Amino acid sequence: MVSVTVVVPTYKEAENIPVLVKRLCAAFASSQHNCSIIIVDDNSRDGTQNIVTNLSSEYPVKLHLREKERGLSSAVLAGFERADGEIFVCMDADLSHPPEKVIEMCDIISSGEADFVIGSRNVPGGSADSFNFYRRSNAFLARMLAFPLARISDPMAGFFAFRSQLYTTDLISQLNPVGWKICLEILVKMNPGKVREIPIIFEERLYGCSKLSFKEQINYLIHLKRLYCYKFKGIARFAVFSLVGASGIAVDLGVVYGGVEIVGVPFKFSRIAGIASAMTTNYLLNRFFTFEERPARGFFLAYLGFVIVCSLGALLNWRVSLYFHDVMSLHYMLASLIGIIAGTLINFSGSTLLVFRK
Ligand code: GDD
Ligand code: MN
């Protein structure tokens, strides 16, 4: 007999809650586990409060009402904070996650087969047929981007269970999710020994509509960047910084082309516009993405600092290229490449230690 706490974040799910609670309790009744349910509601004002109060006279369910805060991930964490089972489970309220599968997850953990179990749509036997093409291709890309962080088939999952012993205060202090991917966040930072994915058939929500928005997709990218920096430290940030640099090349060339071909500005001035544009977009991307979690400094002061650092980088780039070409007799393309790497390292060091320092 193992005690299990099921945390269910809700926002405007009044119609789904009774169905979910009843199906969950029926499943637990014919299992060897004991369950309690915590509904974490962000002040939906749709009758959720009364519904849960009524249910609680018959079922082991309680409500944690958050009046000011909003957000799926923080709601889940608030639920875990109040949970006391030997196993913690997190699932959606809208019955996209089959309640009966919770028993299988708990069996796997209590038998010691795994410490962390994910309900996945992407292992044999699982599916999400109701998803349209747009949502599917999005999910595929999202999955590829997360693969180096955790070798799982469904990093977007919101249906998971783990041994609560592993949910230490040390871990809690490191959790800092942006957006929705709380499962991925906990998994990467907990780093549990044995992870299992079991197939689920992801049903379209019973009532109401999804709250997944475009903003959440941007948040996902920021979240991934943070997890990469958590797991791979400076190497990851350097890779992101270099990607931003590469995007600057595209901006630069685009502006030069537009200046010469469309606006008709002489090349030498178009070139200035190209360089200035690339420095600006690089600055913005680095400020709001690469170093997004660092405390923001004055916008223009930091901009100036970035331009100075990058100019130093460019100077070094030039000198190093000349050295490798003229003195070491390397091919000019190879010499240029070495110069670019040297310049990027200066740009990166200056950005990390001066412009966007902690
Ligand atoms: N407390 C709280 N606060 N709950 C929220 C909030 C919020 O701000 N936003 C959403 N929820 C709850 C919903 O009420 C639901 O129970 C659950 O979180 C998931 O929200 P949905 O709106 O149903 O999201 P979805 O179906 O688009 O997303 C599901 O699939 C994604 C993968 O495609 C979720 O399982 C996600 O976790 C998963 O990433
Ligand atoms: Mn849903």
Side-chain angles (χ1 to χ4, degrees):
M1 185 77 122
V2 174
S3 62
V4 180
T5 308
V6 181
V7 168
V8 185
T10 62
Y11 186 69
K12 301 208 189 293
E13 304 283 5
E15 291 153 302
N16 293 318
I17 291 172
V19 188
L20 174 76
V21 168
K22 286 172 192 167
R23 271 176 66 181
L24 257 179
C25 291
F28 270 99
S30 49
S31 81
Q32 303 174 358
H33 313 298
N34 224 325
C35 105
S36 68
I37 304 167
I38 302 178
I39 307 276
V40 186
D41 188 70
D42 288 359
N43 212 2
S44 300
R45 299 177 186 282
D46 61 348
T48 294
Q49 232 174 323
N50 283 337
I51 289 171
V52 179
T53 312
N54 290 340
L55 284 168
S56 67
S57 60
E58 204 179 330
Y59 300 97
V61 57
K62 58 186 181 194
L63 178 74
H64 172 57
L65 183 69
R66 302 199 309 167
E67 303 214 28
K68 292 197 188 72
E69 247 178 301
R70 266 263 355 233
L72 174 52
S73 291
S74 65
V76 173
L77 296 182
F80 287 154
E81 207 176 296
R82 285 154 184 85
D84 56 7
E86 291 157 76
I87 295 174
F88 290 177
V89 180
C90 171
M91 70 190 298
D92 292 355
D94 58 2
L95 296 147
S96 286
H97 300 147
E100 295 71 26
K101 277 281 174 178
V102 174
I103 309 300
E104 190 181 333
M105 293 173 140
C106 295
D107 286 342
I108 291 173
I109 295 175
S110 67
S111 70
E113 249 182 272
D115 303 309
F116 200 109
V117 183
I118 300 167
S120 167
R121 295 161 289 189
N122 304 324
V123 291
S127 76
D129 284 336
S130 51
F131 279 5
N132 60 27
F133 176 75
Y134 171 74
R135 211 168 156 177
R136 262 169 200 270
S137 37
N138 252 344
F140 180 76
L141 187 67
R143 190 175 150 185
M144 293 297 106
L145 288 174
F147 199 67
L149 290 170
R151 303 280 146 87
I152 52 171
S153 71
D154 199 351
M156 315 289 283
F159 189 25
F160 59 102
F162 56 85
R163 200 183 298 289
S164 65
Q165 248 174 23
L166 299 174
Y167 195 71
T168 58
T169 42
D170 190 41
L171 167 66
I172 295 167
S173 69
Q174 305 208 32
L175 297 176
N176 177 24
V178 274
W180 279 35
K181 304 305 158 224
I182 189 62
C183 175
L184 186 63
E185 168 93 9
I186 295 178
L187 185 62
V188 169
K189 295 187 174 169
M190 179 187 280
N191 200 10
K194 285 173 280 178
V195 181
R196 265 281 295 277
E197 288 186 284
I198 61 167
I200 62 158
I201 296 181
F202 191 96
E203 302 282 354
E204 207 30 81
R205 55 167 42 253
L206 198 55
Y207 298 106
C209 60
S210 166
K211 286 111 201 166
L212 190 62
S213 61
F214 177 71
K215 187 174 148 233
E216 288 306 334
Q217 303 188 345
I218 300 292
N219 275 343
Y220 179 61
L221 291 182
I222 294 179
H223 190 196
L224 281 185
K225 192 227 78 190
R226 283 191 192 173
L227 289 177
Y228 272 100
C229 288
Y230 175 87
K231 191 160 176 177
F232 303 108
K233 310 276 181 304
I235 302 281
R237 206 186 295 275
F238 182 65
V240 174
F241 187 83
S242 304
L243 277 179
V244 167
S247 80
I249 298 178
V251 170
D252 190 338
L253 292 178
V255 169
V256 169
Y257 182 84
V260 173
E261 300 289 336
I262 303 170
V263 189
V265 178
F267 176 62
K268 62 178 171 188
F269 296 122
S270 295
R271 205 59 213 90
I272 294 176
I275 293 170
S277 307
M279 267 195 195
T280 307
T281 55
N282 281 0
Y283 170 68
L284 292 173
L285 283 171
N286 283 323
R287 183 177 178 113
F288 295 111
F289 189 66
T290 320
F291 297 97
E292 131 289 328
E293 85 289 12
R294 302 248 172 124
R297 238 159 273 278
F299 188 86
F300 289 104
L301 199 67
Y303 183 46
L304 190 69
F306 185 73
V307 170
I308 292 173
V309 163
C310 290
S311 305
L312 275 178
L315 191 66
L316 187 80
N317 179 344
W318 184 61
R319 289 300 319 166
V320 166
S321 300
L322 292 188
Y323 172 80
F324 277 96
H325 179 254
D326 299 349
V327 182
M328 306 298 283
S329 314
L330 290 188
H331 188 276
Y332 72 94
M333 287 297 273
L334 188 58
S336 302
L337 192 65
I338 296 174
I340 289 172
I341 295 172
T344 307
L345 282 171
I346 285 295
N347 294 349
F348 181 66
S349 318
S351 297
T352 310
L353 302 173
L354 299 169
V355 184
F356 303 109
R357 69 176 179 275
K358 276 190 198 150

